[in-house]
Amino acid sequence: MSTTLRVGVIGAGHFGRYHALKIRDVPGETLSGVFDPDMARAQLVAREAGCPVVADVETLLAQSDAAVVAAPAEFHFDLAVQALRAGRHVLVEKPVAATLEQADMLVTLAQQSGLVCQVGHLLRYSAEHDAITQRITRPLYIEATRIAPYKPRGTDVSVILDLMIHDLDLVLAIVDSPIAQVDALGAAVSSAHEDIANARVRFENGCVASITASRISLKTERRMRLFSEEGYLSADFVKRELSMIGRERGLPLPGTGGFRRESISWKEHDSLFAEHQAFVASCVHGAPVVVDAVAGRRALAAALAVAEGITTSRRLMEQSGLIGGS
């Protein structure tokens, strides 16, 4: 393979379009083509990105070194397997698969083939991820909120796999401890799947995380709060602002016994560009995969545990008469 990675995009929907346009601009990547069963949509995106439309996945893989799987979630596993078995690196959007058995197969395929299987958890490449992990390394408690107004896109899966999985993956990366217990609540309001959910996750090391996700809210809010022996941190991802009270950084707070307050902000950060840069580095130069299939499997396991917790809570509520049975 040359130093330029030929990348094909499978799926020309919302994220597929973003990937196609980004590949066009990332040094070291060349957009080899776009495939989508909806030919009109594929032609629209291909025209915008300046690449050919490809008639089928097999042809796209044959003329590519790697593939981005940006199809609906139910097809992620089959398409990623097809790409890996064709000897192609793959960047698969989250969730990595529908079941843990499928995720395990992807992990095995990637390991046996030596190919890159990167999972599209964008927050790992964000400025806020770096800002948090540089300041809090041993969290005791995390509170994450990700709410937004209703949009039809993404309702083919629950809000857990659509939105919450972003924060689940970030929390798992920060805590770096196995999950011991999950309690969760959720409700389907505007779709056939949960549109709002809350999970309380207790880790084996004692840390607790409370994570809320909603796609039926009146406003957009993305926040994370953490506290530990290192201090208290509050991050607003929409405003791109972070405040921390601790002993190591910032201006002294009089009368607090040595505590300091730090306030920072960051500019717009192109996480998708950074994700593709990391993909090129791994595929072409052998750099470690930042979010590999193992990490994707871990996030999926957490999401499925939340879904199971919601089912258990609903059963208890139905038995008690708090809600009516379906």
Side-chain angles (χ1 to χ4, degrees):
M1 187 176 66
S2 69
T3 55
T4 299
L5 189 71
R6 299 174 300 160
V7 185
V9 175
I10 305 173
H14 182 76
F15 268 105
R17 172 180 174 270
Y18 283 143
H19 279 290
L21 295 175
K22 200 59 61 180
I23 292 167
R24 181 189 63 183
D25 298 334
V26 171
E29 281 187 324
T30 298
L31 184 58
S32 57
V34 171
F35 165 77
D36 194 287
D38 183 342
M39 185 59 68
R41 177 65 185 179
Q43 290 173 341
L44 180 66
V45 172
R47 187 161 52 247
E48 187 179 6
C51 73
V53 174
V54 182
D56 53 67
V57 174
E58 292 79 7
T59 303
L60 182 64
L61 293 175
Q63 62 190 43
S64 305
D65 303 307
V68 171
V69 175
E74 62 186 298
F75 302 113
H76 285 184
F77 170 72
D78 288 337
L79 290 169
V81 166
Q82 186 175 355
L84 289 170
R85 286 179 172 168
R88 304 299 182 257
H89 303 292
V90 63
L91 195 171
V92 55
E93 271 298 337
K94 54 81 185 168
V96 65
T99 68
L100 295 182
E101 291 76 16
Q102 290 177 347
D104 287 337
M105 183 178 292
L106 286 176
V107 170
T108 300
L109 275 174
Q111 291 175 344
Q112 291 179 345
S113 64
L115 294 166
V116 171
C117 182
Q118 181 173 312
V119 187
H121 288 287
L122 266 184
L123 274 185
R124 296 283 205 99
Y125 305 92
S126 65
E128 51 260 43
H129 170 263
D130 291 341
I132 291 170
T133 54
Q134 287 170 8
R135 290 163 175 81
I136 300 288
T137 60
R138 303 183 305 278
L140 306 177
Y141 177 76
I142 302 175
E143 179 180 291
T145 302
R146 182 177 295 264
I147 62 176
Y150 177 78
K151 294 179 182 178
R153 183 191 63 79
T155 54
D156 58 321
V157 296
S158 72
V159 73
I160 305 163
L161 292 175
D162 181 27
L163 297 181
M164 184 183 283
I165 196 168
H166 287 293
D167 291 311
L168 283 170
D169 175 69
L170 184 54
V171 167
L172 288 166
I174 295 171
V175 177
D176 195 24
S177 174
I179 291 175
Q181 181 181 345
V182 175
D183 291 320
L185 295 168
V189 179
S190 298
S191 72
H193 307 282
E194 287 85 9
D195 296 300
I196 185 168
N198 171 265
R200 184 176 176 85
V201 182
R202 182 177 294 278
F203 293 89
E204 290 184 2
N205 68 358
C207 178
V208 172
S210 176
I211 307 171
T212 299
S214 169
R215 58 189 180 199
I216 54 168
S217 298
L218 298 177
K219 63 178 181 178
T220 297
E221 182 179 328
R222 292 176 51 225
R223 292 179 178 272
M224 184 171 283
R225 299 179 177 88
L226 308 90
F227 66 74
S228 72
E229 293 182 335
E230 299 157 293
Y232 168 79
L233 184 150
S234 176
D236 187 321
F237 299 155
V238 176
K239 294 182 178 179
R240 301 185 184 91
E241 296 176 348
L242 177 150
S243 296
M244 180 169 176
I245 297 176
R247 294 186 180 275
E248 301 297 328
R249 299 169 180 258
L251 299 175
L253 284 173
T256 61
F259 283 98
R260 296 173 174 268
R261 176 170 181 169
E262 179 191 24
S263 296
I264 67 167
S265 60
W266 55 87
K267 297 180 180 179
E268 181 72 32
H269 177 80
D270 193 336
S271 299
L272 189 59
F273 189 91
E275 180 181 58
H276 275 275
Q277 284 184 311
F279 189 52
V280 172
S282 297
C283 295
V284 178
H285 305 295
V289 184
V290 177
V291 188
D292 60 9
V294 173
R297 194 245 189 228
R298 185 173 58 175
L300 176 64
L304 294 177
V306 172
E308 183 178 348
I310 290 174
T311 299
T312 300
S313 296
R314 174 169 289 275
R315 188 180 304 116
L316 291 173
M317 291 175 181
E318 289 174 351
Q319 291 173 350
S320 71
L322 180 60
I323 61 174
S326 57

